[in-house]
Amino acid sequence: MKGIEGLKAWQAAIQEQRDPDATWIAVCAGTGCLSQGAADLAAALREALIRHSLEGKVEVKETGCRGFCEQGPLIVIHPEGIFYPQLKAADAERIVSETILRKQVIEDLLYQDPVTGRRHIHEGDIPFYQKQMRLVCRLNGVIDPTHIGDYIVHGGYQAAAKALFEMEPVQIVEEIKRSGLRGRGGGGFPAGVKWESCRNAHGEPKYVICNADAGDPGAFMDRSLLEGNPHSIIEGMIIGAYAIGSHEGYVYVRNEYPLAVRNLQTAIERAEAHNLLGDNILESGFDFHLKINRGGGAFVCGESTALMASIEGRVGEPRAKYVHTVESGLWNKPTNLNNVETWANVPLVIEHGADWFSAIGTETSKGTKVFSLVGHVNNTGLVEVPMGITLREVMFDIGGGVRGGRHFKAVQTGGPSGGTIIVDTTGAARPAEDRDEHERGPALVPESLIDLPVDFESLTEAGSMMGSGGMIVMDETTCMVDVARYFLNFLTEESCGKCTPCREGIRNMLAILERICDGRGQEGDIDLLQEMSDTVADTSLCALGGTAPNPVLSTIRYFRPEYEAHIRDRRCPAGVCTALIEYSINATKCTGCHACFKACPTDAISGEVKAAHVISTAKCVKCGSCLDVCKFDAVVKQ
Amino acid sequence: MDIATLDKLCDRYAHERGAIVELLQTIQTEEHYLPRDALERVSANLDIPLSQLYGLATFYRAFSLKPVGKHQVLCCTGTACHVRGAKRVVDHFRRVLGIEIGETTEDGLFSLHTVNCLGACAVAPVAVIDGVCHGEMTAANVEKLVRQYRSRSGE
Ligand SMILES: Cc1cc2nc3c(=O)[nH]c(=O)nc-3n(C[C@H](O)[C@H](O)[C@H](O)COP(=O)(O)O)c2cc1C
Ligand code: FES
């Protein structure tokens, strides 16, 4: 196959074969839907089609994540675009006999807006999707990631062909710079500037790397992109490699994400088979080889220098950053590393141009950002929004507000050490990539800041950060001291141990937080935490330690009274810290239904049916099972 | 994994730079842990000090030096799962199985581990058993699942 013409001819041939009016079913097979039974649903649909002699006529396609995980498993029936959420395998028969065969919409399977009670037929009419701008994720629910033809038919690899045949490498770098595309891995460093530094660096060969470590707990956007549309990442990397002058690339992805590894492997093989990867791509004379490196699952390996050490087969310890990786990275050669989502944006910029891209977003933050909206929010899932949208819009309009009618308390962005903001007003002056780490850090946004626009600068100014894309909503039942303790516990385990401030400092801060949560906090603990925070932040080798104190500092800053309640009153206002709470049963409310008796895992509850029950504090392990099952509000947590 | 397969594996990776982590990944995937004799063989074949292999094996979370149970329970304790009560799910597994995190039941049927995110945060809290993901876990679910897997093994 040669050039753009070759690709277009292939695209046309596939289009020819496909009837645009044909009926087909897209079954979301993202991890969220799979955990809710999507595989069984797909199988049931196929069986139903066979029963109605429709096999071969109606295709069932397993696609990547559509984002609305809360409502899984879900399907869309094309070409009409009928959206059915929360299905069970048992619904397959009706779907085939009524919607597929008789073109009837099944009213009770449609999505119902919990606020208005209205039912919606199309995804686009649902509030969850209305304020989104799905560009990077646009094909996620449409293509089968294991079929390259699906990507080709949507214009796949044409941006790469345009770059290879119609643009000079420097022109591409300029275009990316002009677009204002900034790194999506947390650093927010201008991608074009990084590319330029690497392009200009001396040394051969040069490497390009895709950081798909996706180690931030609670953030699964990178993984979803890799699973749902791996070709877009490959295409972005071809363009970047050509611009930089690299012929060898790596995708560093965790072995724990088997579907991502598998789909990417398949995509690479298909691309190679069609001369879209390897030697002489599309007969352009440009060679680019791409390999997968299966990471061993260590949070610190998401850090650029640790990641490179890991690819080299060593223990993933970061190094000091006075030597920049764009000059001396993998095997001491110039190396350009970008995040999954950053790479996935590249074909869009090249296809539509820098002006189109920079028209989206705000002054300094261009394009869209994918967030994993999770925690105590009604519509959990993956959302892609234009930069500059407010947190309120994301959480309430798209997310549908806090679950169970509770009160919003905080939203955590940036992961345990994620979330970086870089304000680069001076432009290209400093070498790429290497400053980002110092300003990384998670932060909690309290309710008072809910109208903040979501872009790099606004969040930084407010003392928060955008981060890599995790957005964890917390309601009033979340204890902020416990959240700080949680993050430090995570970071203690994930610290590589190379430098002392991080290894010992975080551990000792954790010990203080643990004693506060246990009701053994001392006057002065808050000051001590703040003091230690400064030391750990200033003296750690990499950003893992450098930003580790952030969850502590931001919770103290916004939720100090909660710390004081733990220390002075031995009380956990949110009722989370088990040492500080006790369960009991309100005898006047208890109907003696026996539900808690059956639910209690430690036989701590006694009482006859129809008589008030009692909890034995000695046996109670404070698991909360009784509270969950009580329908009469009789279980009291204090 | 028998010695011949292991040797072949070593040959395959011998000429590839930095492939040692990949090699260990392959052994881990096959055996579900890194047996000492396999590490010794790799060390001899590729002329890499055993200490270096142990360094890697203990650094990366993906590797285990102890054999695991027939059914592997992975509880997510990532942030999204944590705020939705992951600790209670883990505690319940510990109680029901009678083991601590990282241990295997005496009958060799179950082992229990925690992980930091399974990518299904939207349906938190999440647990994966033998690669199958279970969302919106509750204490009641825990017992049901354990019972199911027990009976599946004919115990
Ligand atoms: C402890 C730590 C963990 C990180 N984890 C990730 C990660 O999982 N994925 C990622 O893309 N970047 C991660 N980063 C940021 C990378 O070091 C790097 O800045 C980023 O991948 C650069 O790509 P970008 O410019 O396209 O954002 C991490 C940084 C640190 C300090
Ligand atoms: S935090 Fe548990 S699956 Fe992501």
Side-chain angles (χ1 to χ4, degrees), chain A residues 388-393 395-396 408 445-454 458-459:
Chain A
I389 192 169
T390 65
L391 276 173
R392 183 186 295 283
E393 287 172 287
M395 251 163 320
F396 290 89
F408 169 69
V445 183
E447 187 172 20
S448 51
L449 297 174
I450 189 84
D451 283 309
L452 272 185
V454 178
S458 307
L459 288 177

Coordinates of all heavy atoms in Angstrom, one line a residue, chain A residues 388-393 395-396 408 445-454 458-459:
Chain A
G388 N -11.7 24.1 30.5 CA -12.4 25.4 30.8 C -13.8 25.2 31.4 O -14.4 26.1 31.9
I389 N -14.3 24.0 31.2 CA -15.6 23.7 31.7 C -15.5 23.8 33.3 O -14.4 23.5 33.8 CB -16.1 22.3 31.3 CG1 -17.5 22.0 31.6 CG2 -15.2 21.2 31.9 CD1 -18.1 20.7 31.0
T390 N -16.6 24.1 34.0 CA -16.4 24.2 35.4 C -16.5 22.9 36.1 O -17.2 22.0 35.6 CB -17.4 25.2 36.1 OG1 -18.7 24.6 35.9 CG2 -17.4 26.5 35.4
L391 N -15.9 22.8 37.3 CA -16.1 21.6 38.1 C -17.5 21.3 38.4 O -18.0 20.1 38.4 CB -15.4 21.7 39.4 CG -13.9 21.4 39.5 CD1 -13.3 21.8 40.8 CD2 -13.6 20.0 39.2
R392 N -18.3 22.3 38.6 CA -19.7 22.1 38.9 C -20.4 21.4 37.7 O -21.2 20.5 37.9 CB -20.4 23.5 39.1 CG -21.9 23.3 39.5 CD -22.6 24.7 39.6 NE -22.1 25.5 40.7 CZ -22.4 25.3 42.0 NH1 -23.2 24.4 42.3 NH2 -21.9 26.1 42.9
E393 N -20.1 21.9 36.5 CA -20.7 21.2 35.3 C -20.3 19.8 35.2 O -21.2 18.9 34.9 CB -20.3 22.0 34.0 CG -21.0 23.3 33.8 CD -20.4 24.1 32.7 OE1 -19.2 24.6 32.8 OE2 -21.0 24.2 31.6
M395 N -19.3 17.8 37.7 CA -19.9 17.0 38.7 C -21.4 16.9 38.8 O -21.9 15.9 39.2 CB -19.3 17.5 40.1 CG -18.3 16.5 40.6 SD -17.2 17.1 41.8 CE -16.8 18.7 41.3
F396 N -22.0 18.0 38.5 CA -23.5 18.0 38.7 C -24.2 17.8 37.3 O -25.2 17.0 37.3 CB -23.9 19.3 39.4 CG -23.5 19.2 40.8 CD1 -22.3 19.8 41.2 CD2 -24.3 18.6 41.8 CE1 -21.8 19.7 42.5 CE2 -23.9 18.6 43.1 CZ -22.6 19.1 43.5
F408 N -22.1 17.1 49.0 CA -20.8 17.1 48.4 C -19.7 17.6 49.4 O -20.0 18.6 50.1 CB -20.8 17.9 47.2 CG -19.5 18.2 46.6 CD1 -18.7 17.2 46.0 CD2 -18.9 19.5 46.6 CE1 -17.5 17.5 45.4 CE2 -17.7 19.8 46.1 CZ -17.0 18.8 45.5
V445 N -10.3 19.7 46.3 CA -11.0 20.9 46.1 C -12.2 20.9 46.9 O -13.1 20.0 46.8 CB -11.5 21.0 44.6 CG1 -12.2 22.3 44.3 CG2 -10.3 20.8 43.7
P446 N -12.3 21.8 47.9 CA -13.5 21.8 48.7 C -14.7 22.4 48.0 O -14.6 23.0 47.0 CB -13.1 22.6 49.9 CG -12.1 23.5 49.4 CD -11.4 22.9 48.2
E447 N -15.8 22.3 48.6 CA -17.1 22.7 48.0 C -17.0 24.2 47.6 O -17.6 24.6 46.5 CB -18.3 22.5 48.9 CG -19.6 22.7 48.2 CD -20.7 22.3 49.1 OE1 -20.6 22.1 50.3 OE2 -21.8 22.1 48.5
S448 N -16.4 25.0 48.3 CA -16.4 26.4 48.0 C -15.7 26.8 46.7 O -15.9 27.8 46.1 CB -15.7 27.2 49.1 OG -14.4 26.6 49.4
L449 N -15.0 25.9 46.1 CA -14.3 26.1 44.9 C -14.9 25.5 43.7 O -14.4 25.4 42.6 CB -12.8 25.7 45.0 CG -12.0 26.4 46.0 CD1 -10.6 25.8 46.1 CD2 -11.9 27.9 45.7
I450 N -16.2 25.1 43.8 CA -16.8 24.2 42.9 C -17.0 24.9 41.5 O -17.2 24.3 40.5 CB -18.2 23.7 43.4 CG1 -18.8 22.7 42.5 CG2 -19.1 24.8 43.7 CD1 -18.3 21.3 42.8
D451 N -17.0 26.2 41.4 CA -17.2 26.9 40.2 C -15.9 27.2 39.4 O -15.9 27.9 38.4 CB -18.0 28.2 40.4 CG -19.5 27.9 40.6 OD1 -20.0 27.1 39.7 OD2 -20.1 28.3 41.6
L452 N -14.8 26.6 39.8 CA -13.6 26.7 39.1 C -13.6 26.1 37.7 O -14.2 25.1 37.5 CB -12.5 25.9 39.8 CG -11.7 26.5 41.0 CD1 -10.7 25.5 41.4 CD2 -11.0 27.8 40.5
P453 N -13.0 26.8 36.8 CA -12.9 26.2 35.5 C -11.8 25.1 35.5 O -10.8 25.3 36.2 CB -12.5 27.3 34.5 CG -12.2 28.5 35.4 CD -12.5 28.2 36.8
V454 N -12.1 24.1 34.8 CA -11.1 23.0 34.8 C -10.1 23.3 33.7 O -10.3 23.0 32.5 CB -11.8 21.6 34.5 CG1 -10.8 20.5 34.4 CG2 -12.8 21.3 35.5
S458 N -6.2 27.6 36.2 CA -7.2 28.0 37.2 C -7.1 27.1 38.4 O -7.1 27.6 39.6 CB -8.6 27.9 36.6 OG -8.7 28.6 35.5
L459 N -6.9 25.8 38.2 CA -6.8 24.9 39.3 C -5.6 25.1 40.1 O -5.6 25.0 41.3 CB -6.9 23.4 38.8 CG -8.3 23.0 38.3 CD1 -8.3 21.6 37.7 CD2 -9.4 23.1 39.4

